[in-house]
Tab-separated table of all heavy atoms in Angstrom:
chain	number	residue	atom	x	y	z
A	247	VAL	N	45.405	24.335	41.029
A	247	VAL	CA	44.119	24.680	40.469
A	247	VAL	C	44.272	25.845	39.505
A	247	VAL	O	45.408	26.461	39.326
A	247	VAL	CB	43.235	25.172	41.646
A	247	VAL	CG1	42.976	24.018	42.606
A	247	VAL	CG2	43.709	26.400	42.303
A	248	THR	N	43.206	26.207	38.782
A	248	THR	CA	43.282	27.168	37.724
A	248	THR	C	42.497	28.473	38.291
A	248	THR	O	41.387	28.332	38.838
A	248	THR	CB	42.581	26.727	36.465
A	248	THR	OG1	43.301	25.598	36.010
A	248	THR	CG2	42.601	27.794	35.385
A	249	VAL	N	43.121	29.634	38.087
A	249	VAL	CA	42.517	30.910	38.471
A	249	VAL	C	42.556	31.819	37.236
A	249	VAL	O	43.293	31.693	36.264
A	249	VAL	CB	43.264	31.578	39.648
A	249	VAL	CG1	43.166	30.689	40.871
A	249	VAL	CG2	44.664	31.890	39.297
A	250	PHE	N	41.628	32.839	37.319
A	250	PHE	CA	41.573	33.799	36.248
A	250	PHE	C	40.924	35.119	36.687
A	250	PHE	O	40.235	35.132	37.727
A	250	PHE	CB	40.777	33.221	35.003
A	250	PHE	CG	39.334	33.026	35.334
A	250	PHE	CD1	38.396	34.035	35.168
A	250	PHE	CD2	38.915	31.736	35.632
A	250	PHE	CE1	36.977	33.852	35.388
A	250	PHE	CE2	37.544	31.490	35.885
A	250	PHE	CZ	36.614	32.563	35.711
A	251	LEU	N	41.228	36.148	35.999
A	251	LEU	CA	40.637	37.494	36.263
A	251	LEU	C	40.397	38.094	34.906
A	251	LEU	O	41.311	38.288	34.125
A	251	LEU	CB	41.512	38.402	37.093
A	251	LEU	CG	41.059	39.872	37.166
A	251	LEU	CD1	39.709	39.972	37.909
A	251	LEU	CD2	42.100	40.725	37.838
A	252	ILE	N	39.100	38.355	34.602
A	252	ILE	CA	38.777	39.039	33.277
A	252	ILE	C	37.920	40.268	33.586
A	252	ILE	O	36.925	40.205	34.312
A	252	ILE	CB	37.900	38.028	32.453
A	252	ILE	CG1	38.834	36.801	32.076
A	252	ILE	CG2	37.455	38.700	31.139
A	252	ILE	CD1	37.993	35.735	31.334
A	253	GLN	N	38.323	41.394	33.129
A	253	GLN	CA	37.686	42.661	33.401
A	253	GLN	C	37.040	43.247	32.178
A	253	GLN	O	37.684	43.257	31.139
A	253	GLN	CB	38.675	43.637	34.081
A	253	GLN	CG	39.136	43.150	35.410
A	253	GLN	CD	40.131	44.108	36.029
A	253	GLN	OE1	41.046	44.620	35.385
A	253	GLN	NE2	40.003	44.413	37.361
A	254	ARG	N	35.771	43.722	32.379
A	254	ARG	CA	35.065	44.363	31.221
A	254	ARG	C	34.347	45.616	31.728
A	254	ARG	O	33.880	45.613	32.902
A	254	ARG	CB	34.101	43.354	30.642
A	254	ARG	CG	34.682	42.165	29.999
A	254	ARG	CD	35.418	42.371	28.756
A	254	ARG	NE	35.865	41.148	28.114
A	254	ARG	CZ	37.090	40.652	28.185
A	254	ARG	NH1	37.976	41.322	28.950
A	254	ARG	NH2	37.404	39.545	27.600
A	255	THR	N	34.275	46.617	30.884
A	255	THR	CA	33.571	47.818	31.223
A	255	THR	C	32.217	47.914	30.470
A	255	THR	O	32.004	47.015	29.636
A	255	THR	CB	34.323	49.059	31.011
A	255	THR	OG1	34.553	49.170	29.570
A	255	THR	CG2	35.687	49.085	31.744
A	256	LEU	N	31.434	48.852	30.807
A	256	LEU	CA	30.119	49.065	30.102
A	256	LEU	C	30.431	49.221	28.559
A	256	LEU	O	29.611	48.707	27.755
A	256	LEU	CB	29.391	50.259	30.608
A	256	LEU	CG	28.889	50.169	32.115
A	256	LEU	CD1	28.027	51.449	32.381
A	256	LEU	CD2	28.186	48.938	32.340
A	257	GLU	N	31.542	49.843	28.288
A	257	GLU	CA	31.826	50.131	26.917
A	257	GLU	C	32.395	48.781	26.192
A	257	GLU	O	32.581	48.806	25.005
A	257	GLU	CB	32.943	51.217	26.780
A	257	GLU	CG	32.476	52.586	27.212
A	257	GLU	CD	32.357	52.738	28.740
A	257	GLU	OE1	32.969	51.976	29.435
A	257	GLU	OE2	31.574	53.633	29.188
A	258	GLN	N	32.625	47.816	26.992
A	258	GLN	CA	33.153	46.501	26.484
A	258	GLN	C	32.045	45.406	26.590
A	258	GLN	O	32.307	44.230	26.849
A	258	GLN	CB	34.405	46.091	27.187
A	258	GLN	CG	35.559	47.060	26.950
A	258	GLN	CD	36.769	46.698	27.871
A	258	GLN	OE1	36.605	46.438	29.184
A	258	GLN	NE2	37.949	46.653	27.317
A	259	ASN	N	30.801	45.843	26.459
A	259	ASN	CA	29.690	44.952	26.434
A	259	ASN	C	29.490	44.189	27.787
A	259	ASN	O	29.088	43.016	27.777
A	259	ASN	CB	29.755	43.868	25.341
A	259	ASN	CG	29.694	44.536	23.960
A	259	ASN	OD1	28.906	45.505	23.779
A	259	ASN	ND2	30.454	44.077	23.041
A	260	ALA	N	29.729	44.849	28.934
A	260	ALA	CA	29.540	44.220	30.231
A	260	ALA	C	28.125	43.728	30.373
A	260	ALA	O	27.881	42.688	30.999
A	260	ALA	CB	29.950	45.202	31.317
A	261	THR	N	27.137	44.515	29.895
A	261	THR	CA	25.697	44.118	30.105
A	261	THR	C	25.418	42.816	29.394
A	261	THR	O	24.712	41.998	29.953
A	261	THR	CB	24.846	45.249	29.560
A	261	THR	OG1	25.099	46.423	30.220
A	261	THR	CG2	23.392	44.844	29.801
A	262	LYS	N	25.952	42.627	28.171
A	262	LYS	CA	25.753	41.428	27.425
A	262	LYS	C	26.381	40.212	28.002
A	262	LYS	O	25.996	39.063	27.718
A	262	LYS	CB	26.232	41.617	26.044
A	262	LYS	CG	25.504	42.720	25.233
A	262	LYS	CD	24.027	42.539	25.170
A	262	LYS	CE	23.352	43.680	24.415
A	262	LYS	NZ	21.848	43.516	24.431
A	263	ILE	N	27.408	40.460	28.982
A	263	ILE	CA	27.947	39.319	29.701
A	263	ILE	C	27.149	38.950	30.886
A	263	ILE	O	26.879	37.807	31.212
A	263	ILE	CB	29.405	39.650	30.059
A	263	ILE	CG1	30.255	39.997	28.845
A	263	ILE	CG2	30.092	38.426	30.803
A	263	ILE	CD1	31.624	40.491	29.171
A	264	ILE	N	26.666	40.026	31.675
A	264	ILE	CA	26.083	39.729	32.930
A	264	ILE	C	24.705	39.134	32.735
A	264	ILE	O	24.214	38.334	33.642
A	264	ILE	CB	26.021	40.988	33.806
A	264	ILE	CG1	25.832	40.657	35.210
A	264	ILE	CG2	24.882	41.879	33.309
A	264	ILE	CD1	27.041	39.977	35.906
A	265	LEU	N	24.016	39.363	31.660
A	265	LEU	CA	22.683	38.816	31.469
A	265	LEU	C	22.726	37.279	31.362
A	265	LEU	O	22.016	36.653	32.197
A	265	LEU	CB	22.054	39.401	30.214
A	265	LEU	CG	21.690	40.883	30.349
A	265	LEU	CD1	21.244	41.397	28.913
A	265	LEU	CD2	20.608	41.061	31.359
A	266	PRO	N	23.507	36.683	30.527
A	266	PRO	CA	23.600	35.149	30.581
A	266	PRO	C	24.325	34.603	31.819
A	266	PRO	O	24.009	33.496	32.277
A	266	PRO	CB	24.274	34.807	29.300
A	266	PRO	CG	25.130	35.979	29.018
A	266	PRO	CD	24.305	37.189	29.462
A	267	PHE	N	25.194	35.364	32.323
A	267	PHE	CA	26.016	34.914	33.510
A	267	PHE	C	25.035	34.584	34.652
A	267	PHE	O	25.327	33.590	35.372
A	267	PHE	CB	26.943	36.054	33.965
A	267	PHE	CG	27.590	35.852	35.287
A	267	PHE	CD1	28.775	35.150	35.361
A	267	PHE	CD2	27.080	36.377	36.413
A	267	PHE	CE1	29.427	34.927	36.540
A	267	PHE	CE2	27.694	36.157	37.656
A	267	PHE	CZ	28.838	35.426	37.733
A	268	GLN	N	23.928	35.257	34.854
A	268	GLN	CA	23.122	35.060	35.954
A	268	GLN	C	22.517	33.630	36.040
A	268	GLN	O	22.306	33.053	37.158
A	268	GLN	CB	21.939	36.090	35.926
A	268	GLN	CG	22.344	37.530	36.059
A	268	GLN	CD	21.156	38.418	35.948
A	268	GLN	OE1	20.450	38.658	36.899
A	268	GLN	NE2	20.884	38.942	34.819
A	269	THR	N	22.232	33.020	34.905
A	269	THR	CA	21.668	31.709	34.878
A	269	THR	C	22.647	30.587	34.507
A	269	THR	O	22.470	29.460	34.890
A	269	THR	CB	20.468	31.702	33.839
A	269	THR	OG1	20.902	32.161	32.588
A	269	THR	CG2	19.330	32.565	34.388
A	270	ILE	N	23.762	31.000	33.754
A	270	ILE	CA	24.684	29.974	33.386
A	270	ILE	C	25.661	29.654	34.492
A	270	ILE	O	25.935	28.460	34.790
A	270	ILE	CB	25.512	30.435	32.146
A	270	ILE	CG1	24.482	30.526	30.932
A	270	ILE	CG2	26.662	29.560	31.865
A	270	ILE	CD1	25.107	31.157	29.722
A	271	ALA	N	26.151	30.653	35.236
A	271	ALA	CA	27.138	30.418	36.296
A	271	ALA	C	26.648	29.372	37.334
A	271	ALA	O	27.402	28.473	37.784
A	271	ALA	CB	27.535	31.657	36.952
A	272	PRO	N	25.372	29.499	37.839
A	272	PRO	CA	24.911	28.510	38.780
A	272	PRO	C	24.854	27.087	38.279
A	272	PRO	O	24.653	26.182	39.020
A	272	PRO	CB	23.538	29.063	39.182
A	272	PRO	CG	23.540	30.454	38.840
A	272	PRO	CD	24.376	30.483	37.590
A	273	LYS	N	24.830	26.901	36.964
A	273	LYS	CA	24.635	25.593	36.397
A	273	LYS	C	26.018	24.930	35.878
A	273	LYS	O	26.063	23.865	35.286
A	273	LYS	CB	23.714	25.622	35.255
A	273	LYS	CG	22.268	25.962	35.703
A	273	LYS	CD	21.333	26.014	34.542
A	273	LYS	CE	19.943	26.392	35.003
A	273	LYS	NZ	18.952	26.445	33.821
A	274	LEU	N	27.100	25.681	36.040
A	274	LEU	CA	28.368	25.171	35.657
A	274	LEU	C	28.755	23.976	36.509
A	274	LEU	O	28.173	23.729	37.624
A	274	LEU	CB	29.418	26.252	35.739
A	274	LEU	CG	29.288	27.381	34.725
A	274	LEU	CD1	30.331	28.487	35.072
A	274	LEU	CD2	29.538	26.928	33.260
A	275	PRO	N	29.721	23.110	36.118
A	275	PRO	CA	30.189	22.022	36.914
A	275	PRO	C	30.527	22.558	38.342
A	275	PRO	O	31.014	23.665	38.556
A	275	PRO	CB	31.398	21.454	36.192
A	275	PRO	CG	31.159	21.793	34.805
A	275	PRO	CD	30.406	23.142	34.754
A	276	ASN	N	30.349	21.672	39.385
A	276	ASN	CA	30.529	22.059	40.711
A	276	ASN	C	31.923	22.500	41.064
A	276	ASN	O	32.173	23.246	42.052
A	276	ASN	CB	30.179	20.865	41.673
A	276	ASN	CG	28.716	20.458	41.589
A	276	ASN	OD1	27.941	21.119	40.893
A	276	ASN	ND2	28.295	19.506	42.374
A	277	GLU	N	32.909	22.140	40.220
A	277	GLU	CA	34.324	22.455	40.465
A	277	GLU	C	34.618	23.909	40.060
A	277	GLU	O	35.743	24.413	40.307
A	277	GLU	CB	35.246	21.481	39.662
A	277	GLU	CG	35.225	20.030	40.160
A	277	GLU	CD	33.943	19.302	39.691
A	277	GLU	OE1	33.253	19.815	38.833
A	277	GLU	OE2	33.695	18.194	40.291
A	278	VAL	N	33.630	24.564	39.483
A	278	VAL	CA	33.913	25.950	38.968
A	278	VAL	C	33.301	26.968	39.936
A	278	VAL	O	32.086	26.942	40.293
A	278	VAL	CB	33.171	26.157	37.609
A	278	VAL	CG1	33.463	27.637	37.095
A	278	VAL	CG2	33.816	25.192	36.546
A	279	ASP	N	34.124	27.932	40.392
A	279	ASP	CA	33.676	29.062	41.157
A	279	ASP	C	34.010	30.287	40.308
A	279	ASP	O	35.089	30.470	39.922
A	279	ASP	CB	34.371	29.189	42.497
A	279	ASP	CG	34.277	30.575	43.164
A	279	ASP	OD1	33.181	31.089	43.192
A	279	ASP	OD2	35.262	31.211	43.551
A	280	ILE	N	32.909	31.014	40.032
A	280	ILE	CA	33.138	32.300	39.271
A	280	ILE	C	32.232	33.371	39.898
A	280	ILE	O	31.067	33.125	40.126
A	280	ILE	CB	32.860	32.076	37.796
A	280	ILE	CG1	33.024	33.435	36.993
A	280	ILE	CG2	31.472	31.489	37.527
A	280	ILE	CD1	32.897	33.236	35.515
A	281	ARG	N	32.859	34.501	40.284
A	281	ARG	CA	32.131	35.579	40.853
A	281	ARG	C	32.403	36.776	40.038
A	281	ARG	O	33.287	36.898	39.213
A	281	ARG	CB	32.556	35.907	42.272
A	281	ARG	CG	32.257	34.770	43.274
A	281	ARG	CD	32.892	35.101	44.661
A	281	ARG	NE	34.439	35.113	44.588
A	281	ARG	CZ	35.154	35.791	45.451
A	281	ARG	NH1	34.590	36.500	46.374
A	281	ARG	NH2	36.400	35.705	45.356
A	282	VAL	N	31.538	37.796	40.247
A	282	VAL	CA	31.733	39.067	39.557
A	282	VAL	C	31.697	40.259	40.522
A	282	VAL	O	30.762	40.368	41.260
A	282	VAL	CB	30.767	39.269	38.348
A	282	VAL	CG1	29.302	39.209	38.852
A	282	VAL	CG2	31.043	40.634	37.626
A	283	ARG	N	32.736	40.983	40.502
A	283	ARG	CA	32.850	42.176	41.337
A	283	ARG	C	32.531	43.430	40.506
A	283	ARG	O	33.235	43.693	39.505
A	283	ARG	CB	34.294	42.272	41.977
A	283	ARG	CG	34.479	43.540	42.855
A	283	ARG	CD	35.861	43.441	43.383
A	283	ARG	NE	36.183	44.427	44.439
A	283	ARG	CZ	36.671	45.621	44.148
A	283	ARG	NH1	36.931	45.945	42.922
A	283	ARG	NH2	36.898	46.497	45.141
A	284	ILE	N	31.504	44.122	40.878
A	284	ILE	CA	31.077	45.328	40.109
A	284	ILE	C	31.446	46.565	40.812
A	284	ILE	O	31.057	46.725	42.029
A	284	ILE	CB	29.545	45.218	39.840
A	284	ILE	CG1	29.188	43.826	39.257
A	284	ILE	CG2	29.096	46.288	38.935
A	284	ILE	CD1	27.729	43.523	39.283
């Protein structure tokens, strides 16, 4: 399987990522698990 880890801080536009993430992540194909640790 494929795994990944991508880290971003507030200074690296974290807010601009988390805003669309909230609605896009639940609609991705069922085979995709993506979580965010803050």
Side-chain angles (χ1 to χ4, degrees):
V247 298
T248 300
V249 297
F250 65 87
L251 171 66
I252 299 174
Q253 295 179 316
R254 299 287 185 265
T255 64
L256 296 186
E257 295 75 19
Q258 296 172 314
N259 294 322
T261 302
K262 299 303 181 182
I263 303 172
I264 202 67
L265 290 174
F267 170 88
Q268 297 178 84
T269 53
I270 292 173
K273 295 180 180 179
L274 291 173
N276 297 0
E277 292 76 15
V278 179
D279 164 47
I280 178 170
R281 295 174 295 157
V282 57
R283 181 179 187 267
I284 307 167

